[in-house]
Amino acid sequence: MCGIFGYVGHRKDAACIVLEGLKSLEYRGYDSWGIAVLPESGKSDGKIIVRKKTGKIGDATADELPAGSIAFGHTRWATHGGVTQANAHPHLDCTGKLALIHNGILENYHEIKPGLKKGGHRFISDTDTETFVHMVEEYSRNRLVSKAMQRAFNEVTGLNAFIILAARDKRLIAARNGSPLVVGYGDNENFIASDASALLPYTRQVHFLEENQMAIVSGAGIMIFDAKTGDLVEPHKQVLTWSIDQTVKGKYPYFMLKEIHEQPGVLAAIAADYTSQAEKLAATIDRSYGTYMVGCGTAAYACMAGSYLFSKIAKRHVNWAIGSEFTYQAEFLTPKSLVIALSQSGETMDTLEAVRKAKEKGASIYAVVNALGSSLYRYADHKMLIGAGPEKGVASTKAFTGKLAHLIMVAYAMEGSVKNGQKVVTAAAKSSQKVLTESSVRQLKELALKFRNVRHMYVIGRGLSYPASLETALKIKEISYIHAEGLAAGELKHGPLALVEKGTACIAFLPNDETYGANLAGAMEMKARGGYIIGASYKPHEIFDTYVHIPDAGEGTIIPNVIFGQMLAYELAVIRGLDPDKPRNLAKSVTVK
Ligand code: F6R
């Protein structure tokens, strides 16, 4: 879950390039950061200079760093060892001529570290990571650094990405299993990063490192080889199609706000361009005996919504599970089963573990994923890109509604009319546009002002509005830190109603569907106990203390409903003085278990 960026080439401002790369990757971790640069010849006795800081990278400059044409850096999301300057990456070996950055967890470090200590290696941090740089130092005494790294890599356990900056060879040497790495090909300069989007200002030609591949990156070229055998491997070069505009905030103060506003456009594009993809997935479901959807967090709520959509529209049972729970339910899978994995990043470890388990059982994997070249994308038997463009806000927004749009189209394709799916998604795009007009947003700002200091909020819905409630509550708690709970309205009377008191904020989703009456009953139960009812509906009702107009879009209404929830969460975060792009304790792309 850490951001990684490395440069080697003809420019002398490698540290500045790395710093800018890290800033564009900060969404992957923002506890602390660090950069290592090898100064130009003769300036440091061949030693690598490292600068590390705790906190966000923010407006940091590379002023304190020397000129040099090879550098790399890291933004950290702490797993092992507290958030301190010493624990931030890069880590140096005893000679100061090898530096290391790492993403993942080195599981057997405690078995290796004592031997290194005995051999005289000095450890400075509390991290698992530091063990690896001393291993490479030890093994490179009598062999090439790349060979030493290969040996070390094959001795450690866990899911990791390592990059060593070797002063001796002026190269970056990388190895991965589990955590993503991508190399970028430039002109007399080359790059490495944890996310392809960071490479866009420099190159569009990339190779995503496969599991157990290593890369030697120098100014002259990139060599890819198999970490087990040491054999050279032909890279699978791909061209990135995302534009740079898609990766910057532009006129918006936060990525999250930008991405929320991009949704109507993304939805309209999905409706227009993805009919054949929807039909392909529908046909695959039709051919399978038992289909299971899997995802984590927000993506899991998309799966849950999918299960309602397939039942309602296609009259088909498609089950779903949370990624981290899936393995405990997967025993019944057979080679005829289909597992549809939904993920923005395609790197979520729990989702990847779930599909690995499904593969063991012989099931086919269909990835619905936003990030081209991601682990899930490469691992799946069949794949479909969500087409939401790069998502940088930690809280997933447009990738979520993009997933819903695809699922609506697929459900309609199964029912025999993908065109009706297009109509529903187009209506959802229009309704979403209305939710985002200036006057609607003003109303949400007022609500945020009113509820900015509450301790709890409740969100209720039935049917498709149940996953909408869970997702709205997740967004509120994740970025505003107000405790919010999404509930199936029918469950209120089975317990949660005890929590409602005078003034408790209750959001009720009341779309124009079969759930309206029963859900209104739930809202009334809350109102009768003093709850303040925020009714998100296509028509007003006298029990609403605040009415939020959500234009009807059939089954697609779940989309504008959620967008209202995203926008309210955003306004709550901003009014509470929080950075919605960087919620505490979280980071985008959860590459650990
Ligand atoms: C919440 C959120 C997370 C992600 C989850 C899965 O706003 O963004 O819950 O949805 O970590 O991520 P992906 O979709 O990348 O697999």
Side-chain angles (χ1 to χ4, degrees):
M1 302 169 59
C2 307
I4 289 173
F5 195 93
Y7 171 86
V8 47
H10 57 86
R11 308 189 211 198
K12 299 281 176 259
D13 59 345
C16 288
I17 296 170
V18 168
L19 187 77
E20 289 314 308
L22 289 186
K23 284 183 183 174
S24 77
L25 287 173
E26 208 187 0
Y27 59 97
R28 288 190 62 112
Y30 32 85
D31 293 344
S32 51
W33 60 279
I35 292 180
V37 56
L38 178 65
E40 288 177 83
S41 328
K43 296 266 166 66
S44 66
D45 238 3
K47 291 200 173 166
I48 298 164
I49 304 294
V50 172
R51 291 280 175 275
K52 310 200 261 197
K53 293 217 160 80
T54 52
K56 296 175 184 165
I57 200 163
D59 298 326
T61 62
D63 290 352
E64 293 169 25
L65 284 159
S69 53
I70 175 166
F72 69 177
H74 184 272
T75 59
R76 181 168 186 242
W77 183 83
T79 49
H80 197 283
V83 180
T84 64
Q85 192 171 330
N87 289 346
H89 302 211
H91 294 281
L92 287 170
D93 73 338
C94 303
T95 67
K97 295 187 177 177
L98 291 174
L100 169 71
I101 55 183
H102 169 217
N103 182 12
I105 298 174
L106 207 162
E107 284 172 4
N108 59 342
Y109 81 100
H110 55 279
E111 292 161 19
I112 303 167
K113 189 171 168 179
L116 290 165
K117 273 182 136 173
K118 233 176 175 174
H121 289 269
R122 289 186 319 276
F123 284 77
I124 289 161
S125 75
D126 310 319
T127 62
D128 51 337
T129 304
E130 210 184 347
T131 302
F132 193 82
V133 73
H134 291 289
M135 288 172 85
V136 179
E137 178 190 2
E138 187 63 34
Y139 299 157
S140 62
R141 287 190 207 282
N142 51 10
R143 48 169 83 68
L144 292 172
V145 179
S146 55
K147 290 283 174 206
M149 172 132 172
Q150 185 186 355
R151 176 173 167 192
F153 181 68
N154 287 322
E155 284 178 6
V156 297
T157 56
L159 299 169
N160 296 295
F162 299 102
I163 309 180
I164 289 270
L165 191 165
R168 196 163 76 191
D169 321 315
K170 296 199 176 52
R171 290 162 161 186
L172 298 172
I173 307 163
R176 80 153 276 189
N177 68 329
S179 278
L181 281 179
V182 55
V183 290
Y185 297 82
D187 213 1
N188 285 323
E189 55 182 359
N190 291 301
F191 305 84
I192 186 157
S194 50
D195 297 46
S197 65
L199 300 177
L200 280 171
Y202 307 101
T203 179
R204 292 184 172 277
Q205 243 200 2
V206 300
H207 165 77
F208 293 93
L209 285 193
E210 298 284 349
E211 298 285 293
N212 293 309
Q213 273 188 353
M214 290 184 63
I216 299 180
V217 185
S218 67
I222 301 177
M223 276 190 303
I224 309 292
F225 57 98
D226 184 310
K228 297 276 174 229
T229 62
D231 295 341
L232 275 178
V233 174
E234 198 52 45
H236 173 54
K237 288 190 187 170
Q238 299 194 50
V239 176
L240 301 174
T241 54
W242 287 346
S243 74
I244 294 181
D245 284 356
Q246 287 178 296
T247 67
V248 294
K249 280 187 248 179
K251 64 178 183 183
Y252 294 95
Y254 296 104
F255 278 111
M256 184 176 179
L257 188 62
K258 178 183 184 228
E259 288 158 9
I260 288 175
H261 279 275
E262 280 172 351
Q263 291 175 107
V266 169
L267 296 164
I270 290 174
D273 303 335
Y274 280 81
T275 48
S276 56
Q277 299 235 33
E279 281 170 332
K280 191 174 150 221
L281 175 48
T284 313
I285 298 174
D286 252 339
R287 278 197 306 273
S288 310
Y289 288 83
T291 302
Y292 228 114
M293 287 177 290
V294 67
C296 296
T298 288
Y301 298 147
C303 296
M304 185 186 197
S307 166
Y308 283 95
L309 288 165
F310 285 120
S311 167
K312 192 171 174 184
I313 299 164
K315 320 287 180 246
R316 287 288 292 263
H317 175 60
V318 177
N319 217 333
W320 72 281
I322 292 167
S324 54
E325 289 297 311
F326 181 82
T327 44
Y328 312 119
Q329 301 184 357
E331 292 307 322
F332 65 89
L333 292 175
T334 75
K336 290 183 175 173
S337 313
L338 175 69
V339 171
I340 306 173
L342 272 67
S343 175
Q344 189 290 125
S345 61
E347 301 293 350
T348 302
M349 191 54 69
D350 289 328
T351 306
L352 291 170
E353 292 274 298
V355 299
R356 276 188 197 114
K357 174 78 182 180
K359 267 253 170 108
E360 270 170 39
K361 292 274 173 192
S364 300
I365 311 297
Y366 213 120
V368 178
V369 61
N370 201 38
L372 171 78
S374 57
S375 302
L376 179 61
Y377 185 83
R378 284 177 290 119
Y379 189 72
D381 303 300
H382 317 273
K383 39 212 124 199
M384 162 162 150
L385 285 172
I386 294 170
E391 190 183 74
K392 291 199 164 190
V394 165
S396 186
T397 52
K398 59 179 179 168
F400 175 70
T401 52
K403 287 168 197 158
L404 294 182
H406 286 296
L407 291 170
I408 291 170
M409 303 256 289
V410 175
Y412 271 103
M414 288 182 75
E415 181 252 4
S417 167
V418 75
K419 276 202 156 41
N420 286 341
Q422 284 182 293
K423 280 187 200 150
V424 170
V425 174
T426 305
K430 286 191 181 136
S431 175
S432 303
Q433 192 92 57
K434 295 238 166 71
V435 172
L436 294 172
T437 55
E438 241 180 274
S439 59
S440 307
V441 171
R442 204 174 313 119
Q443 187 190 24
L444 298 189
K445 280 187 202 292
E446 281 160 20
L447 273 176
L449 186 67
K450 183 173 173 62
F451 290 110
R452 70 186 185 284
N453 291 323
V454 298
R455 297 191 51 216
H456 310 282
M457 295 183 87
Y458 298 94
V459 193
I460 60 165
R462 284 173 180 252
L464 275 169
S465 302
Y466 176 35
S469 303
L470 293 169
E471 172 58 9
T472 297
L474 177 61
K475 285 289 167 289
I476 293 173
K477 66 185 126 187
E478 184 180 18
I479 61 166
S480 78
Y481 315 154
I482 294 172
H483 169 241
E485 227 179 296
L487 296 160
E491 284 292 292
L492 277 174
K493 54 193 177 295
H494 300 294
L497 211 46
L499 294 167
V500 177
E501 49 193 20
K502 192 166 169 12
T504 303
C506 308
I507 298 168
F509 287 121
L510 293 149
N512 182 19
D513 65 14
E514 68 284 4
T515 65
Y516 185 88
N519 211 22
L520 190 64
M524 282 170 171
E525 287 162 11
M526 290 178 128
K527 177 94 176 172
R529 272 94 191 159
Y532 181 100
I533 308 299
I534 302 158
S537 185
Y538 68 106
K539 62 178 183 186
H541 192 283
E542 61 182 10
I543 70 152
F544 299 161
D545 295 289
T546 295
Y547 165 54
V548 177
H549 178 56
I550 310 282
D552 182 27
E555 297 92 356
T557 311
I558 180 176
I559 292 176
N561 275 347
V562 165
I563 293 178
F564 146 70
Q566 296 167 350
M567 212 46 232
L568 179 61
Y570 170 85
E571 294 298 348
L572 280 166
V574 170
I575 206 156
R576 285 162 65 85
L578 303 168
D579 178 345
D581 281 350
K582 300 189 187 76
R584 69 182 174 204
N585 307 337
L586 302 174
K588 202 148 184 85
S589 236
V590 187
T591 55
V592 291
K593 272 206 257 183

